[in-house]
Amino acid sequence: MILIVSKNSDRTTIQVMKWFSVMGKKWIRIHEDDFFEIKVIKKRIYLESQRISFFLDEIQSVWYRRGGINFKRLSYQNPSINIHMNEAQYWLEDYVIKTLESKKHINTQTYAHVNKLLVLEKAKIAGLTVPDYFLAENTDEVDLEQTIVKSITGNVILESINTKEDGIMYTTTIKEREEKDFFISFFQKKIEKNFEIRSFYLNGEFSSMAIFSQNDEQTKTDLRKYNKERPNRNVPYNLPKNIEEKAHLLMSSLNLNSGSIDFIKTGDQYYFLEVNPIGQFGNVSADCNYSIEKKIAEFL
């Protein structure tokens, strides 16, 4: 049995599930609104929510796509007993998570999120070239027009930023100085690129796509500002072997066996940008005919 940990709205998960059906594989999907009780039936650990249930030893492989496994905890009126039982329940939950992560898997709940700053440091240790970056509370030392600012937390989507729509924090070129200090922000040297590369990594193999985002002013600085009327040209691409080897070292150091990796190419130089363990790869799969969803289903 394959266990999928995802979110209700994730379309990529559905595409992989279709391949499971074609291959005749059995699967269970956990959503973000599932809360499980841990039980024991005939000496076997049993997880039960209002929607689904399964024995822990039934699971042979796990795909941590998005979200995580949530648990329902019992509470007790006596404060001392409640503290003790909270600890006991925590260790039971930890055992369930660690047991699932010890099985054949694509990523894990423990390492589903990465720290951008640590990733960049590890990328340099792995031998990858990273554009110069720094943290600052003001723009006093920022080179105008030559520096970009981006979120320190990765690709951020702010849900319900107002009553009408959600918001995305885009990468932006700094064109003028701010008069006042602000919360610590991430600044990076702006690199003029030939094109961007989105590479999906799975167990040491890379499926890469070149994105010619620099040809459009709308997507030049941040390709997520999609131009639906004139989409970027996307083509299959082969990263140099030495870049793939260094990226593989990076992923291993992050305890990740899957994820989306972003690069930009300028002349003969490849610059590493970031890793997203749960990044979207549907466009890479479809535009380049890589059938990534099938590869995931086959592995699991």
Side-chain angles (χ1 to χ4, degrees):
M1 182 84 72
I2 301 167
L3 179 66
I4 307 168
V5 183
S6 188
K7 289 189 175 182
N8 300 353
S9 59
D10 189 63
R11 290 174 292 180
T12 301
T13 303
I14 297 173
Q15 297 304 313
V16 174
M17 285 162 45
K18 289 179 179 179
W19 279 109
F20 287 153
S21 297
V22 170
M23 297 173 185
K25 295 187 175 185
K26 296 181 179 180
W27 48 269
I28 295 174
R29 178 177 179 176
I30 291 176
H31 296 160
E32 71 270 23
D33 51 3
D34 286 319
F35 283 81
F36 287 89
E37 289 186 62
I38 302 175
K39 299 182 177 182
V40 175
I41 299 177
K42 294 183 178 180
K43 300 181 180 180
R44 299 170 67 196
I45 292 179
Y46 185 72
L47 276 71
E48 182 179 57
S49 72
Q50 289 186 337
R51 191 178 61 86
I52 58 173
S53 58
F54 59 93
F55 285 100
L56 185 61
D57 58 16
E58 284 183 304
I59 305 303
Q60 297 175 320
S61 58
V62 183
W63 181 26
Y64 280 95
R65 171 61 185 158
R66 292 179 182 272
I69 301 178
N70 300 308
F71 296 96
K72 184 188 295 183
R73 285 191 182 179
L74 300 174
S75 59
Y76 300 82
Q77 290 185 346
N78 185 292
S80 296
I81 292 175
N82 197 54
I83 291 172
H84 171 74
M85 292 307 298
N86 256 327
E87 183 176 355
Q89 290 177 92
Y90 167 81
W91 288 115
L92 276 173
E93 295 162 6
D94 184 68
Y95 175 75
V96 169
I97 296 297
K98 294 298 194 299
T99 299
L100 289 173
E101 293 180 350
S102 70
K103 298 175 184 289
K104 188 176 185 180
H105 63 268
I106 294 180
N107 287 346
T108 63
Q109 183 168 327
T110 301
Y111 296 103
H113 300 281
V114 295
N115 185 307
K116 179 193 286 288
L117 298 175
L118 292 177
V119 169
L120 292 177
E121 290 177 2
K122 288 179 179 289
K124 289 190 287 187
I125 292 172
L128 293 167
T129 301
V130 177
D132 292 339
Y133 62 91
F134 59 93
L135 299 176
E137 297 177 289
N138 54 57
T139 54
D140 294 351
E141 298 181 47
V142 170
D143 292 329
L144 300 181
E145 303 288 350
Q146 302 300 316
T147 306
I148 59 173
V149 62
K150 57 170 62 175
S151 170
I152 201 171
T153 59
N155 296 327
V156 180
I157 297 178
L158 302 176
E159 296 181 359
S160 302
I161 192 169
N162 57 41
T163 56
K164 295 183 179 180
E165 60 183 9
D166 297 340
I168 296 178
M169 297 181 68
Y170 291 111
T171 300
T172 305
T173 301
I174 303 299
K175 297 182 178 180
E176 58 184 30
R177 302 193 190 282
E178 297 290 332
E179 295 181 1
K180 298 180 180 180
D181 287 0
F182 40 75
F183 187 78
I184 297 172
S185 298
F186 179 87
F187 296 91
Q188 193 166 42
K189 181 180 180 181
K190 183 178 181 180
I191 304 295
E192 298 298 334
K193 61 198 173 187
N194 297 125
F195 51 84
E196 298 186 46
I197 302 164
R198 167 65 56 83
S199 188
F200 179 74
Y201 173 89
L202 179 63
N203 294 315
E205 294 187 6
F206 294 80
S207 301
S208 302
M209 176 176 75
I211 308 168
F212 292 88
S213 56
Q214 81 288 350
N215 296 330
D216 188 332
E217 286 299 322
Q218 183 170 321
T219 60
K220 191 172 184 179
T221 303
D222 193 325
L223 63 83
R224 292 174 299 160
K225 293 183 178 180
Y226 304 114
N227 188 335
K228 296 181 179 179
E229 295 182 1
R230 191 166 69 95
N232 293 149
R233 179 171 170 247
N234 302 326
V235 298
Y237 190 82
N238 291 322
L239 283 167
K241 287 299 178 184
N242 68 314
I243 299 298
E244 289 189 347
E245 289 170 358
K246 293 173 182 178
H248 173 67
L249 286 175
L250 171 62
M251 296 298 278
S252 297
S253 71
L254 296 171
N255 294 301
L256 297 173
N257 66 344
S258 179
S260 294
I261 309 174
D262 290 342
F263 298 90
I264 54 177
K265 186 175 185 295
T266 299
D268 295 327
Q269 185 68 61
Y270 291 84
Y271 290 92
F272 168 84
L273 296 182
E274 63 183 4
V275 168
N276 188 346
I278 56 175
Q280 294 289 0
F281 54 82
N283 61 328
V284 177
S285 180
D287 292 354
C288 300
N289 198 30
Y290 284 137
S291 296
I292 292 173
E293 296 85 358
K294 181 181 179 183
K295 292 178 180 177
I296 290 173
E298 288 174 336
F299 173 76
L300 293 170

